[in-house]
Amino acid sequence: MALDADSASTGSQYQYEKLTEPDALRLILLRPSRELQNPLECYLISTTLSNCENDLLDHYTALSYVWGDPSHRVSIKVAGQALSITASLDTALRHLRDSSRTRRIWADAICINQNDSEERNQQVRQMASVYATAQHTVIWIGEGNAETDELFKTLKSIASQRLLGKSAGTSHTMEVSQQVRLSATQTILARQWFRRVWVLQELVRSCDPWVQCGTFLVKWQDLKNVIMTYARDIGAEKVQVVEDMARLHSEHHLSRFRHLSGYNSEDPMSVAGRLLTLLISRRALGVQDPRDRLFAHVGLLGSVNLDESLLRLIEVDYGKEESLVFFEVARFLTEAFQDYRILSLLEYGHATNSTHLPSWVPDCRCRVKFLSYFRSFMLSPETLSHFSQNNLHRAFANFPLPRERREPANV
């Protein structure tokens, strides 16, 4: 483990050192402060996922958050040097900062050199493992208000009673009105975190997820249970997002012990089926980079050992143009299925508007109406009748690559 280079030059820009190990990552050593308003001070250390996995003493917490407005930025001190981050991340770290102890945090915008495309590709490819290895994950949903504070206090009180073997329902837990709980739950579900594509992977792969709102922290499971309690009053669509996330989280962790098929499958059709369902069900959520509609879900496909030619089609590579990424994921799904069920993406609103893409390649820039992950997606018989397995190779012969990009960009 190495400490990134320090500098006594106050005001100089922070310079990242290269990561050299295959599973290398950086962790933030976040200095303590008793005052929320105090500027952030931290260091970065370089280590590896394997070292973190085997370290019984020094654990780290992964942060799941929304980057926020990229133009609204602040400067923090990293090893005495200036580093620019979004105001959203600055606020999150201030609230995660301990009053007396240094905390080890992983946050993508700081721990990954965003100006190094090669490093960014490698780090995003292992991001699922970063959340899986973390001892805890903190989901930062923003600052609280009086109602969310009351709800989180209630949940903390219930959790404390549960640890003591007592039933919930006495003292403070009964003092919060149903209307306050409902209003607080609606406020929480309106937060941007629930509409961000990347958070599904971050939650599903996390061993111990917590949710922080302002200064209050509760377990994800406890907050999810409250949300489901008010499902009828909140509305099916908003609650469905949470229900799908919770079910996927539970299924993933059950599979780790039971070795269920689909998560560690070498069958191309199983992997492709899971990816297609994710692309359809999550297509209503926002991303800053349309390529992330694929890249954010690759880590949920499990440990796969597919043919190298297939794996290359869904590899995280920000050097590829958008149109090439869309084309290659379409090709991956079509070759894995050996049919054209990918057209379900077109039927559910992903019709291609780009002149650079074949008409059968979904345009992943589109945001359309939400649909549950667990709903069955089937092409109509009329649509399938227009395509046969014989057309598969003919389509790729006619459109070997999008016209604007014949080869992947060098990174």
Side-chain angles (χ1 to χ4, degrees):
M1 184 180 297
L3 189 68
D4 276 15
D6 198 349
S7 172
S9 175
T10 303
S12 62
Q13 293 298 309
Y14 183 77
Q15 301 296 316
Y16 285 92
E17 291 188 351
K18 279 284 187 181
L19 296 174
T20 57
E21 298 296 326
D23 63 339
L25 77 161
R26 300 184 185 91
L27 296 177
I28 303 166
L29 297 183
L30 186 59
R31 300 290 298 275
S33 176
R34 296 183 181 277
E35 299 296 331
L36 187 66
Q37 296 77 15
N38 287 346
L40 291 175
E41 293 186 14
C42 63
Y43 291 84
L44 285 178
I45 58 172
S46 299
T47 183
T48 63
L49 285 171
S50 52
N51 284 341
C52 293
E53 179 74 28
N54 297 314
D55 193 334
L56 301 182
L57 297 178
D58 295 321
H59 305 288
Y60 72 91
T61 296
L63 176 62
S64 177
Y65 70 107
V66 176
W67 275 41
D69 186 347
S71 65
H72 190 190
R73 308 187 70 84
V74 298
S75 181
I76 65 170
K77 290 293 182 66
V78 180
Q81 298 174 297
L83 180 68
S84 176
I85 63 172
T86 63
S88 174
L89 178 55
D90 178 76
T91 302
L93 291 175
R94 287 172 185 269
H95 283 82
L96 265 68
R97 182 170 51 182
D98 192 74
S99 61
S100 59
R101 296 170 295 177
T102 297
R103 289 194 70 175
R104 292 187 174 212
I105 305 287
W106 186 90
D108 57 357
I110 295 177
C111 295
I112 301 174
N113 182 356
Q114 301 296 321
N115 296 319
D116 184 335
S117 58
E118 182 179 359
E119 177 181 307
R120 186 183 176 202
N121 288 338
Q122 189 274 333
Q123 290 290 295
V124 172
R125 289 169 193 153
Q126 71 175 24
M127 195 175 292
S129 297
V130 171
Y131 283 91
T133 304
Q135 186 179 38
H136 309 289
T137 294
V138 171
I139 298 165
W140 169 254
I141 60 173
E143 299 189 66
N145 58 28
E147 291 179 336
T148 59
D149 287 353
E150 284 301 306
L151 175 64
F152 274 54
K153 285 179 185 176
T154 299
L155 295 178
K156 286 175 68 70
S157 179
I158 293 172
S160 297
Q161 292 180 34
R162 187 169 59 231
L163 285 174
L164 295 173
K166 299 179 181 179
S167 61
T170 59
S171 67
H172 181 76
T173 65
M174 297 303 293
E175 296 173 13
V176 181
S177 70
Q178 294 291 318
Q179 185 55 44
V180 168
R181 293 193 194 188
L182 174 59
S183 179
T185 303
Q186 291 172 324
T187 297
I188 289 166
L189 286 179
R191 298 294 171 91
Q192 286 293 323
W193 186 86
F194 292 95
R195 298 195 292 275
R196 178 172 166 258
V197 165
W198 275 104
V199 302
L200 181 65
Q201 175 180 261
E202 295 164 4
L203 170 68
V204 168
R205 296 303 297 266
S206 297
C207 297
D208 185 31
W210 292 69
V211 182
Q212 184 161 351
C213 185
T215 58
F216 292 95
L217 190 69
V218 299
K219 281 188 173 292
W220 157 261
Q221 184 71 22
D222 292 336
L223 179 62
K224 185 269 297 184
N225 290 341
V226 169
I227 292 172
M228 300 313 299
T229 300
Y230 294 104
R232 183 177 300 178
D233 300 304
I234 294 172
E237 183 174 309
K238 292 181 179 179
V239 172
Q240 190 67 60
V241 173
V242 176
E243 183 178 9
D244 286 353
M245 295 171 79
R247 289 176 66 180
L248 283 168
H249 180 262
S250 298
E251 286 186 2
H252 172 75
H253 290 279
L254 281 173
S255 74
R256 296 177 62 198
F257 301 101
R258 298 180 182 175
H259 304 288
L260 298 179
S261 62
Y263 288 90
N264 297 292
S265 174
E266 298 181 5
D267 175 19
M269 187 171 289
S270 298
V271 177
R274 187 164 177 78
L275 178 58
L276 178 60
T277 308
L278 285 165
L279 290 173
I280 293 175
S281 65
R282 303 285 291 174
R283 74 202 191 292
L285 305 181
V287 290
Q288 291 184 342
D289 187 331
R291 293 170 294 185
D292 285 337
R293 294 198 184 280
L294 169 66
F295 297 160
H297 296 125
V298 172
L300 292 172
L301 300 181
S303 176
V304 296
N305 185 24
L306 301 178
D307 183 87
E308 184 65 27
S309 62
L310 279 178
L311 282 177
R312 278 200 301 268
L313 296 175
I314 56 172
E315 184 179 53
V316 174
D317 184 353
Y318 286 98
K320 295 178 181 178
E321 299 285 351
E322 288 178 10
S323 59
L324 182 58
V325 172
F326 302 162
F327 178 87
E328 289 188 341
V329 69
R331 183 165 188 165
F332 169 82
L333 293 169
T334 307
E335 291 192 355
F337 286 130
Q338 288 295 299
D339 62 31
Y340 273 93
R341 73 187 69 185
I342 188 179
L343 293 176
S344 57
L345 284 171
L346 303 182
E347 290 196 341
Y348 286 104
H350 265 128
T352 296
N353 298 316
S354 171
T355 59
H356 299 295
L357 290 173
S359 60
W360 53 269
V361 174
D363 189 343
C364 293
R365 294 171 298 184
C366 299
R367 287 183 64 182
V368 289
K369 186 178 179 182
F370 172 79
L371 204 62
S372 170
Y373 174 89
F374 292 93
R375 174 173 170 175
S376 175
F377 305 105
M378 298 295 292
L379 286 174
S380 65
E382 293 78 12
T383 301
L384 283 174
S385 68
H386 290 291
F387 298 93
S388 68
Q389 196 166 339
N390 293 331
N391 290 329
L392 190 62
H393 299 294
R394 186 186 310 164
F396 290 132
N398 291 336
F399 301 100
L401 280 178
R403 285 177 288 173
E404 68 178 26
R405 173 64 68 181
R406 293 292 177 179
E407 294 294 339
N410 293 325
V411 295

